[in-house]
Amino acid sequence: KGLINDVPNGCHMEVNGTLHLIKDPVQSLDIDVDFTRANCAFIQRYVKNIMSDFQGRASGKVRIYGKFREIDVNGDAFAHECAMTIPMLNTRYHAVNETLRLRPGYVELVDVTGYDRDGKPGQKDHSAIINGRITYEHFRNMHYTFDIDAYNVLAYDTKDFGDMPFYSTAYGTGKVSLQGGPGFVNIAIDATADADIHSMEGSARLKVRTDVLDFTGASKSAVAIVSDPLELSISGTSDNGIIHCIS
């Protein structure tokens, strides 16, 4: 049994359970953790392949158990505030006062409201309703599947070419489905996109409706953005990813 208090930040944690450090029969743990406003920054080490700079505080009760290399978690966490950056999109999102369901092999989000950098609680604009899961194998090999209802949410935001043949600031309203993991994300879109796109061939302002967007990291491929009735094709190669829209 143990107690952890961080008075300035309002953090309190109580731990009860057993910890087996001797390898005979096996090193393992089985503990119950009751926590209030715990710092969630430690999560970053587990999600570093799909997001960066994860910050937040949460309260709840969870059971942490299993062999040392096969740890699982079961319980619920109430996120007072949390924020993370999606490097592939160069966008940062945050949520306030939402519940996460932690289960063996996955974390589930049910009707969680998230916001882009311009959004805030109580404001529909720049917000999104998120349902989905982050799945893993004992906190390794993480993948995610999300269904999102977005309302003018910042979906892509780059300020220079970098390794890509274009850069853009794009907002979207509509339905988006995400499936991804380390180094890749596949996105199905039924949304209206409002984007400033700057390519090596010139610039354009587009308000278009798109259907499919594939963004695959760690590959070299041509880049194209197609819309109807407007069309802008951007060709090139990239070490970081491809974007392909089909209308």
Side-chain angles (χ1 to χ4, degrees):
K1 181 176 181 177
L3 294 174
I4 300 173
N5 287 296
D6 179 4
V7 177
N9 292 301
C11 175
H12 172 82
M13 186 178 299
E14 182 174 344
V15 181
N16 292 279
T18 57
L19 178 64
H20 296 280
L21 298 178
I22 300 175
K23 292 184 178 180
D24 185 16
V26 67
Q27 292 177 311
S28 64
L29 59 80
D30 191 341
I31 59 176
D32 293 311
V33 183
D34 189 341
F35 54 98
T36 302
R37 293 195 62 82
N39 190 336
C40 299
F42 73 92
I43 293 175
Q44 177 57 46
R45 65 177 295 185
Y46 301 106
V47 299
K48 62 184 179 181
N49 290 323
I50 59 177
M51 62 183 67
S52 64
D53 193 21
F54 188 98
Q55 300 288 333
R57 289 192 174 273
S59 300
K61 296 181 180 181
V62 297
R63 178 191 176 205
I64 305 174
Y65 63 97
K67 300 176 183 178
F68 277 5
R69 294 184 179 274
E70 299 177 3
I71 299 296
D72 272 314
V73 176
N74 190 46
D76 294 327
F78 180 81
H80 300 280
E81 63 274 333
C82 65
M84 73 289 294
T85 297
I86 308 299
M88 280 187 166
L89 307 178
N90 197 39
T91 54
R92 188 162 180 82
Y93 303 106
H94 65 278
V96 179
N97 297 334
E98 297 290 345
T99 297
L100 306 179
R101 300 176 181 177
L102 288 71
R103 301 293 184 265
Y106 67 90
V107 176
E108 186 173 43
L109 286 70
V110 178
D111 292 334
V112 169
T113 301
Y115 304 91
D116 66 15
R117 66 189 182 197
D118 299 314
K120 59 183 179 180
Q123 175 182 299
K124 187 173 182 179
D125 199 34
H126 298 292
S127 73
I129 305 299
I130 307 166
N131 288 277
R133 288 185 177 186
I134 300 174
T135 61
Y136 50 81
E137 299 170 1
H138 307 297
F139 293 97
R140 295 184 293 272
N141 192 28
M142 286 198 173
H143 291 75
Y144 56 87
T145 301
F146 296 126
D147 292 319
I148 301 171
D149 288 310
Y151 303 94
N152 195 32
V153 169
L154 183 63
Y156 191 78
D157 187 34
T158 52
K159 304 302 183 184
D160 53 50
F161 292 108
D163 294 325
M164 302 290 280
F166 75 97
Y167 63 94
S168 174
T169 296
Y171 291 83
T173 298
K175 295 184 180 297
V176 180
S177 295
L178 303 179
Q179 291 184 330
F184 79 96
V185 57
N186 296 319
I187 310 175
I189 300 175
D190 183 8
T192 300
D194 185 355
D196 281 313
I197 298 176
H198 307 272
S199 77
M200 295 179 181
E201 303 298 326
S203 300
R205 175 77 178 170
L206 296 182
K207 289 191 176 183
V208 302
R209 191 167 189 84
T210 57
D211 296 316
V212 177
L213 171 63
D214 292 324
F215 192 107
T216 304
S219 65
K220 289 189 175 184
S221 299
V223 178
I225 294 183
V226 182
S227 63
D228 185 13
L230 298 175
E231 180 171 322
L232 172 64
S233 296
I234 305 173
S235 299
T237 61
S238 169
D239 290 323
N240 291 337
I242 58 173
I243 292 182
H244 183 59
C245 282
I246 303 172
S247 62

